[in-house]
Amino acid sequence: MATFHLVFLDLSDVPDFASPWESPQWISYIHRHAEKLSRPTVVDRAREMARLLRYGNSLPRTMSPLKALIHRNSGAPILDVGGGFGDNFITLRKLLGKTPYTVVDGDKSCQLGRQLLGDRVHFQTDLPADGHYGLSIVIGTLQYVLDSAPFISKLSELSSDTIFISRSPLRKTGDDFYTVQEITPKLDTASAGECVVRIRSVDNVVRDFADAGFGLVECREVMSYKSQMSSLPDQYSDCFYFNMTFKRNI
């Protein structure tokens, strides 16, 4: 469960931390998570069926729009930024067919992904220098990009049609701020360390995409994140997950 503390209004004020994504605790977690995804249990399959019956879609709520977006993408290459060891790919695999799929993430996650998925998925540690991706996916990642306007600009250059954002806590009102997140993969595991995250407002994210040539076509509130941020002052803790779909302006 994510926990947060401290509030900073300026990036120059935030502390430096060693990367938690290279820690033994995080590496151990992603290997266990990969094992779980690769060998789903009866309980996992029951949860998938329950989602299908309740929402008409077997995907988690933070990924549910991707079923239609992948269908609309018609097999064009997909870029998954922050896609870990391919965990999003594994969840979406039944929908993808032979669609070319590229994951951008840290070195350890990419190493594990190559072991699991071979050459079915292309893994790299930086955004591609060029390319044309019909669908770009950014799930659980935007908050870790502290200078996000250049990131959005570069992502938009690579994306020929659609960008999907999800599982990043955003504010409905107010300006952006920075806070410190304790990276604890599961309640029963040791902390992997701390890192600074940027909590953006919905309006500011939409503005940055508009500046990069992409318009918001859908924004749906998925869940409140207030309990996870309850250690922050009230005016900063009222955050939510949104599913946001942006399309290139014609």
Side-chain angles (χ1 to χ4, degrees), residues 5-6 27 48 53 61-62 100 117 155 163 181 189 203 225:
H5 63 97
L6 302 176
I27 303 307
E48 183 176 334
L53 293 173
R61 285 183 294 163
T62 53
L117 299 170
L155 180 66
I163 300 173
Q181 180 182 354
T189 59
D203 287 346
Y225 215 65

Side-chain angles (χ1 to χ4, degrees), residues 4-249:
F4 301 83
H5 63 97
L6 302 176
V7 170
F8 304 92
L9 302 182
D10 195 293
L11 182 58
S12 63
D13 295 330
V14 303
D16 290 326
F17 296 103
S19 171
W21 316 117
E22 304 297 320
S23 68
Q25 293 86 351
W26 182 256
I27 303 307
S28 174
Y29 163 71
I30 63 173
H31 277 81
R32 287 185 285 110
H33 186 43
E35 177 74 15
K36 186 175 187 297
L37 278 181
S38 301
R39 294 188 172 89
T41 64
V42 172
V43 173
D44 295 329
R45 297 186 187 280
R47 287 175 180 160
E48 183 176 334
M49 182 60 67
R51 286 195 297 265
L52 180 62
L53 293 173
R54 183 172 182 180
Y55 303 111
N57 194 330
S58 60
L59 298 177
R61 285 183 294 163
T62 53
M63 300 176 74
S64 58
L66 286 170
K67 182 176 182 180
L69 294 179
I70 290 170
H71 178 73
R72 184 180 185 276
N73 186 54
S74 301
I78 291 176
L79 177 64
D80 185 353
V81 183
F85 55 81
D87 32 331
N88 294 332
F89 171 84
I90 292 169
T91 301
L92 299 168
R93 192 168 194 166
K94 293 178 183 178
L95 303 173
L96 292 169
K98 296 182 179 180
T99 300
Y101 199 97
T102 296
V103 168
V104 178
D105 211 296
D107 183 59
K108 297 295 185 183
S109 291
C110 289
Q111 288 180 28
L112 175 58
R114 293 185 191 105
Q115 293 172 18
L116 285 173
L117 299 170
D119 59 4
R120 173 60 185 88
V121 175
H122 177 65
F123 289 90
Q124 56 188 77
T125 56
D126 294 300
L127 283 174
D130 51 35
H132 297 283
Y133 297 89
L135 172 61
S136 295
I137 300 169
V138 186
I139 296 178
T141 299
L142 189 62
Q143 66 269 38
Y144 301 112
V145 182
L146 301 186
D147 192 7
S148 49
F151 165 76
I152 289 172
S153 178
K154 177 60 178 177
L155 180 66
S156 299
E157 291 176 9
L158 296 167
S159 305
S160 60
D161 188 81
T162 306
I163 300 173
F164 176 72
I165 307 289
S166 187
R167 225 176 70 213
S168 292
L170 301 172
R171 304 181 80 182
K172 289 182 177 179
T173 59
D175 210 345
D176 301 356
F177 69 92
Y178 303 89
T179 184
V180 176
Q181 180 182 354
E182 183 85 25
I183 306 298
T184 307
K186 294 290 183 181
L187 289 175
D188 60 346
T189 59
S191 170
E194 295 180 315
C195 69
V196 175
V197 297
R198 183 179 184 181
I199 308 299
R200 307 217 59 197
S201 74
V202 170
D203 287 346
N204 287 346
V205 172
V206 172
R207 180 205 65 212
D208 284 350
F209 273 103
D211 289 345
F214 275 74
L216 179 68
V217 296
E218 183 176 31
C219 182
R220 182 168 298 178
E221 181 184 320
V222 177
M223 60 174 279
S224 172
Y225 215 65
K226 189 170 185 176
S227 63
Q228 287 88 340
M229 307 187 83
S230 60
S231 295
L232 301 182
D234 288 344
Q235 66 266 37
Y236 294 104
S237 64
D238 199 17
C239 297
F240 300 81
Y241 276 171
F242 292 84
N243 289 340
M244 306 177 76
T245 302
F246 296 86
K247 292 192 182 298
R248 178 174 288 283
N249 297 328

